[in-house]
């Protein structure tokens, strides 16, 4: 009888232990390798949110004990990834070096792209680009907003990284109020005195501090015929985010219905723009042109 009761007690203890394991699955959780899933925040409805698999990105990561908060305790955080390069392996996105994520470890990530872009990081200013010049632009600079206090994902699921463009994108569309017996060709659109060198930091809010260097931006690489319905002029240009308070200069030719020139190389200016180009946004300006002036008909700001 005593042996029978001993067996019952052992089974009860085993059952309670097994139940506790299912109630607390972290008992059996192990360290997993950190991996990522990058996407791009689109700036317009036509842009896809696909991150190119051929382009590596960089990451800083810091570690805190479970239950801690980066915003309250970042001064006690331990460096986990020091500007490491993340590349596509053919199956997923990982660092060349293996980084293991412990069950009771919370990580905060700060990323930039492409990895070859000269970047720095501080907890106060986040991702930083210094002396960036859009005139030498080869690849679009991007960053992610902080990915904070992330617990170890189940079954090693990747950390989603949403990249935002660090620049702004500007496009122009043009229409004319002239009679239909006149053909108008826009040969140039120009914004003078635009800053092209600056320093960027992502925290506490994404911001560019522009330098003293200035350039004129040309938006019309070749002549474009315009009518009463607005037409796109060029493909648009990536610009340094900044406050812009210059007029837009438009150069155009006018021909009659027989193709004879009526007015050649006429240049006129719009009102002062008085607008701010912000990080990660697209600006589409529509200009209405007549023989004497050009005015802003609408400004369309797309921010998806």
């Amino acid at each position: 009888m005593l042996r029978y009761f001993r067996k019952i007690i052992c089974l009860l203890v085993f059952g309670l232990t097994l139940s506790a394991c299912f109630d607390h699955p972290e008992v059996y959780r192990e360290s997993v390798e950190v991996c990522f899933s990058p996407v791009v925040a689109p700036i317009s409805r036509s842009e896809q949110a696909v991150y190119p698999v051929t382009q590596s990105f960089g990451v800083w990561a810091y570690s805190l004990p479970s239950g801690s908060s980066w915003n309250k305790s970042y001064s006690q955080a331990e460096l986990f990834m020091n500007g490491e390069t993340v590349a596509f392996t053919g199956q997923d996105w990982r660092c060349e070096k293996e980084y293991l994520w412990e069950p009771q470890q919370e990580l905060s990530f700060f990323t930039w792209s492409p990895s070859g872009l000269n970047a720095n990081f501080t907890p106060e200013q986040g991702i930083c680009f210094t002396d960036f010049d859009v005139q030498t632009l080869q690849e679009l600079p991007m960053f992610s907003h902080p990915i904070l206090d992330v617990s170890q994902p189940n079954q090693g699921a990747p950390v989603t990284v949403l990249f935002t463009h660090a620049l702004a994108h500007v496009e122009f569309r043009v229409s004319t109020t002239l009679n239909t017996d006149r053909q108008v060709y826009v040969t140039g659109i120009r914004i003078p005195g635009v800053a092209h060198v600056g320093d960027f930091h992502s925290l506490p809010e994404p911001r560019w501090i522009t330098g003293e260097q200035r350039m004129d931006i040309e938006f019309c690489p070749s002549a474009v015929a315009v009518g009463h319905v607005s037409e796109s002029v060029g493909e648009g240009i990536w610009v340094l985010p900044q406050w812009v308070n210059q007029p837009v200069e438009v150069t155009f030719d006018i021909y009659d219905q027989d193709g004879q020139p009526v007015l050649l190389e006429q240049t006129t200016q719009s009102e002062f723009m008085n607008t701010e180009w912000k990080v990660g946004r697209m600006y589409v300006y529509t200009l209405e042109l007549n023989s004497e002036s050009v005015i802003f008909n609408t400004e369309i700001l797309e921010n998806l």
Side-chain angles (χ1 to χ4, degrees):
M1 179 66 68
L2 181 61
R3 181 179 300 175
Y4 176 74
F5 280 113
R6 284 177 178 173
K7 287 183 177 180
I8 292 177
I9 291 172
C10 288
L11 289 172
L12 287 172
V13 171
F14 176 76
L16 290 172
T17 302
L18 187 62
S19 175
C21 290
F22 281 108
D23 290 339
H24 303 280
E26 65 271 12
V27 172
Y28 282 107
R29 288 175 65 183
E30 299 178 350
S31 59
V32 297
E33 186 176 357
V34 180
C35 60
F36 300 90
S37 177
V39 293
V40 179
I43 62 169
S44 70
R45 293 176 179 84
S46 61
E47 185 183 25
Q48 296 183 344
V50 178
Y51 188 90
V53 296
T54 57
Q55 182 168 299
S56 60
F57 61 91
V59 58
W60 275 278
Y62 286 80
S63 171
L64 282 168
S66 179
S68 301
S69 166
W70 170 266
N71 289 331
K72 294 181 179 179
S73 308
Y74 71 81
S75 60
Q76 284 84 47
E78 295 182 0
L79 182 63
F80 184 72
M81 292 179 172
N82 187 17
E84 295 293 333
T85 297
V86 180
F88 187 60
T89 66
Q91 295 181 331
D92 53 21
W93 293 83
R94 298 176 186 265
C95 299
E96 182 176 353
K97 174 183 175 181
E98 183 181 60
Y99 284 90
L100 296 178
W101 197 335
E102 302 301 330
Q104 301 302 319
Q105 188 180 39
E106 289 190 351
L107 298 177
S108 294
F109 301 92
F110 308 85
T111 66
W112 83 96
S113 176
S115 60
L117 184 64
N118 185 24
N120 294 297
F121 174 82
T122 69
E124 295 76 19
Q125 292 191 312
I127 299 295
C128 302
F129 306 139
T130 304
D131 291 332
F132 183 87
D133 190 347
V134 293
Q135 283 192 311
T136 60
L137 180 65
Q138 294 181 338
E139 295 177 295
L140 293 175
M142 295 186 288
F143 70 100
S144 71
H145 292 279
I147 308 168
L148 301 180
D149 309 326
V150 184
S151 300
Q152 187 198 72
N154 291 331
Q155 300 179 346
V159 177
T160 299
V161 180
L162 178 61
F163 280 106
T164 298
H165 289 291
L167 301 178
H169 194 262
V170 176
E171 296 182 10
F172 280 93
R173 299 179 66 88
V174 182
S175 64
T176 180
T177 59
L178 294 179
N179 294 333
T180 54
D181 62 350
R182 294 288 188 264
Q183 181 63 62
V184 180
Y185 291 88
V186 173
T187 58
I189 295 181
R190 176 174 170 266
I191 303 177
V194 177
H196 62 92
V197 177
D199 298 336
F200 171 82
H201 58 78
S202 63
L203 294 177
E205 295 294 335
R207 183 187 176 195
W208 285 90
I209 300 174
T210 57
E212 297 297 325
Q213 301 92 330
R214 295 290 184 270
M215 63 181 290
D216 296 342
I217 303 180
E218 302 283 350
F219 287 89
C220 190
S222 59
V224 176
V226 297
H228 291 172
V229 178
S230 61
E231 299 285 347
S232 295
V233 179
E235 296 181 353
I237 295 178
W238 291 96
V239 297
L240 207 66
Q242 60 192 279
W243 188 267
V244 183
N245 196 25
Q246 296 93 298
V248 178
E249 299 176 358
V250 181
T251 302
F252 58 94
D253 300 333
I254 300 177
Y255 294 85
D256 63 21
Q257 58 187 356
D258 297 322
Q260 297 301 311
V262 175
L263 195 64
L264 296 179
E265 297 185 2
Q266 175 75 2
T267 298
T268 186
Q269 291 185 344
S270 74
E271 61 190 10
F272 285 79
M273 298 182 72
N274 194 28
T275 187
E276 182 182 7
W277 294 336
K278 296 183 179 181
V279 169
R281 294 191 179 182
M282 177 179 180
Y283 299 84
V284 182
Y285 296 102
T286 300
L287 305 180
E288 190 176 89
L289 183 65
N290 59 45
S291 60
E292 297 179 353
S293 65
V294 56
I295 62 173
F296 282 101
N297 188 18
T298 59
E299 175 190 350
I300 303 172
L301 170 59
E302 298 188 13
N303 181 26
L304 302 184

